[in-house]
Amino acid sequence: MKLDIGCGKTKEKGWTGIDQIDFGQKHVHDVREGLPFKDGSVEEIRSSHFVEHLTGAERVAFFNEAYRVLKKGGKATITTPCWSHACAYGDPTHQWPPMSQWYPLYLNKQWRDSNAPHVGYVCDFDYVLAGSWDQSIEGRNPEYKQMAMNTQINAWRDIMVTLTKR
């Protein structure tokens, strides 16, 4: 199974949609109550512009649930607005804090054991971090983009993290 969490109106072929609002997808369910799937039953997860609507505690539960339902080696691709872009603050339904490039570290048990043993995560993911550029700098050279990502607001629009269940 390939699961699209918070699918909204998007209907990607080959993906099973789940959202708390009925957009005609297969599963109408509030994932804050957990994922209604067996342990290790999902091959792949995608979630685009959903996680930022969860509170901090709900985010911890979300990533733990994603870990639970994914098969070993399964992947989850999570896209959220970057904390430093205006789109992270534009939607009043986004929860505080906005997502940053640091969040995948907390999803890795080895890093967490050394740096953040106080958090409620039980998941253990390897991750690859990527992002999308704001349209205003899309055509700039890589050196400028790297500098802008580290020093300017509205440079990196989205954070795209691919998690792999260890």
Side-chain angles (χ1 to χ4, degrees):
M1 179 188 322
K2 295 167 86 176
L3 187 59
D4 187 348
I5 300 174
C7 63
K9 295 179 181 179
T10 305
K11 302 292 183 289
E12 292 288 329
K13 189 172 183 169
W15 291 81
T16 300
I18 184 168
D19 201 303
Q20 73 174 0
I21 300 170
D22 187 352
F23 293 109
Q25 74 279 5
K26 185 170 182 179
H27 298 279
V28 178
H29 178 77
D30 186 346
V31 300
R32 292 175 297 184
E33 298 171 8
L35 292 170
F37 305 102
K38 294 180 182 176
D39 296 1
S41 62
V42 176
E43 292 177 34
E44 193 171 353
I45 292 173
R46 67 178 282 218
S47 184
S48 181
H49 293 277
F50 166 72
V51 173
E52 66 271 15
H53 295 273
L54 301 175
T55 66
E58 291 167 346
R59 292 173 189 175
V60 172
F62 171 82
F63 287 111
N64 286 338
E65 275 292 282
Y67 182 77
R68 180 186 65 78
V69 301
L70 276 171
K71 295 178 178 181
K72 186 173 181 167
K75 296 191 182 302
T77 302
I78 311 297
T79 302
T80 64
C82 182
W83 71 272
S84 64
H85 197 278
C87 67
Y89 306 92
D91 183 344
T93 66
H94 290 180
Q95 298 294 313
W96 190 263
M99 303 298 283
S100 85
Q101 300 90 307
W102 271 71
Y103 90 81
L105 292 169
Y106 290 84
L107 308 179
N108 178 275
K109 184 178 181 335
Q110 183 178 0
W111 184 90
R112 195 172 58 240
D113 284 350
S114 298
N115 299 284
H118 60 283
V119 296
Y121 292 103
V122 296
C123 57
D124 189 15
F125 289 108
D126 288 323
Y127 67 91
V128 175
L129 180 67
S132 67
W133 300 105
D134 186 81
Q135 198 170 14
S136 66
I137 66 167
E138 186 63 45
R140 300 296 293 261
N141 67 46
E143 294 80 15
Y144 179 87
K145 287 179 177 179
Q146 184 66 43
M147 182 275 306
M149 181 180 72
N150 292 325
T151 63
Q152 296 179 15
I153 62 168
N154 294 323
W156 220 18
R157 187 182 188 286
D158 290 322
I159 298 169
M160 294 173 271
V161 177
T162 301
L163 304 168
T164 303
K165 182 175 179 174
R166 296 182 70 167

